[in-house]
Amino acid sequence: MTRGDAVWARVYYRNATGEELRSLLTLMGPGGRTVELHCAPAAHDEPDTCETPRVPSSGPTGSATAVAEFVGAGPVAEAPLLLRAGSERAPEARG
């Protein structure tokens, strides 16, 4: 997401499993800059969001990408990866 000179990542989700889940939302910008946010999706069937803090954009529009990962409960090393979703850069405008 962008507004003015700020950039941030947002994921919309609904945890209908009835179980504890963990998620990690990562915003990656130019030059290896990253912002990570751990979210704990509540075990209910209501839509919700997780959003990184807004940070100043350090590159041209569209240079940041985001990845959201949702994993099951249990020890981190054994938790199953349930979903990984990433953003795509917008196609370049052609004149």
Side-chain angles (χ1 to χ4, degrees):
M1 310 275 303
T2 60
R3 179 171 291 151
D5 66 344
V7 63
W8 69 99
R10 179 186 299 159
V11 63
Y12 295 89
Y13 64 86
R14 190 168 84 189
N15 180 5
T17 66
E19 297 178 14
E20 174 190 342
L21 296 179
R22 291 188 304 266
S23 70
L24 176 64
L25 180 58
T26 306
L27 173 66
M28 297 165 284
R33 297 179 62 181
T34 62
V35 175
E36 291 186 344
L37 180 68
H38 294 268
C39 304
H44 59 70
D45 197 20
E46 297 298 319
D48 208 347
T49 62
C50 179
E51 187 172 294
T52 65
R54 295 174 187 206
V55 295
S57 178
S58 61
T61 301
S63 61
T65 58
V67 174
E69 296 177 310
F70 288 83
V71 297
V76 173
E78 299 172 15
L81 177 63
L82 303 174
L83 174 70
R84 178 178 289 144
S87 65
E88 288 188 24
R89 290 193 174 115
E92 302 262 342
R94 296 180 193 192

